[in-house]
Each structure stands twice: as structure tokens, then as C-alpha cells.
Amino acid sequence: MDGALVEPDLPGIVIALNPAPVDLSFALEESGLLEATGAPTLSPEDLEGLEAGSALPFFGRAHAPLVIVHGSADDLIPVSWSQRTVDAWNAAGPRADLVVVDGADHGLEPHLQEVAGIVVGAAMSALG
């Protein structure tokens, strides 16, 4: 996704597999990581700092559509983080879709063949 923001006219499509969160404050709050580690709650200044390091403000630069493929059984990165990314990408202008592969883990096992078909199909569709 970063490449589409740095060189917005370069890619014809952006495809991400189980991507890391781009909205760090949302990810920290939703994950419960702060409570689990006993860390203090985030202050408004902390949230501003996280937002400053986020890619979200730059999504409007992207021209390419985004397809995120995410496993429903991913125990490292929740599907909700990818949904948040798709929602933000769509709000910024370019089209974004989330494809959730039922039963796939973080490595998209045991559905790699299905994922390969999704990736090839999305690329072919974007390239016409």
C-alpha cells in the first residue's frame, strides 16, 4: 500500500495479504493490548502522535484500487483491521474491496490455491 501512496500513478492495482494495521490508534484500542500489558490509556497527545505516523491521511493520494485478502482464522491480525483499511481507502476515493477467505490463517493456509486465484483474478481485472 505504501508504494501506491508514494508513487500514486505507478500501480494499476494494490493487493495486500493480511496487512498490518494502518490505523495504529484503532488497532491498539481494539486489540486490548494496552490493558493486557498494564500500559496507561492513550492521551489525546499520544493519539495525535500515532495518527501522525499513520498512512491514513495519505490514502487520498492513491489512484489504484485496493484488494485486501484476509484469512478469517488469522490469529495475529483481526479482519476488522483490514475492514477499517478498506473503509478508509474507499472514503478517500479509490475503490477498495476486502475478500475474507473462510478458514484461512495468517499465512492463508490451507487455502493458498484459492488465494492465488483471487490475486490473479484481481490483477487481470485491473489490467483489463
Side-chain angles (χ1 to χ4, degrees):
M1 286 184 285
D2 292 344
L5 305 178
V6 174
E7 292 291 338
D9 294 322
L10 186 61
I13 187 167
V14 178
I15 301 173
L17 307 176
N18 292 343
V22 295
D23 186 343
L24 297 177
S25 59
F26 173 78
L28 281 173
E29 289 174 4
E30 187 183 71
S31 70
L33 184 61
L34 295 176
E35 293 97 25
T37 60
T41 346
L42 294 175
S43 70
E45 293 79 22
D46 293 333
L47 290 173
E48 285 178 22
L50 286 173
E51 289 169 7
S54 171
L56 288 175
F58 302 100
F59 277 13
R61 294 187 54 158
H63 301 284
L66 168 67
V67 175
I68 294 180
V69 182
H70 204 117
S72 68
D74 186 340
D75 60 352
L76 295 176
I77 298 175
V79 173
S80 60
W81 295 0
S82 287
Q83 184 61 60
R84 178 87 167 193
T85 300
V86 164
D87 292 346
W89 197 273
N90 279 324
R95 188 185 88 245
D97 296 300
L98 173 61
V99 179
V100 179
V101 180
D102 191 38
D105 63 13
H106 185 69
L108 299 167
E109 295 283 353
H111 300 282
L112 289 177
Q113 291 285 64
E114 180 182 351
V115 170
I118 293 167
V119 169
V120 170
M124 295 298 288
S125 175
L127 300 174

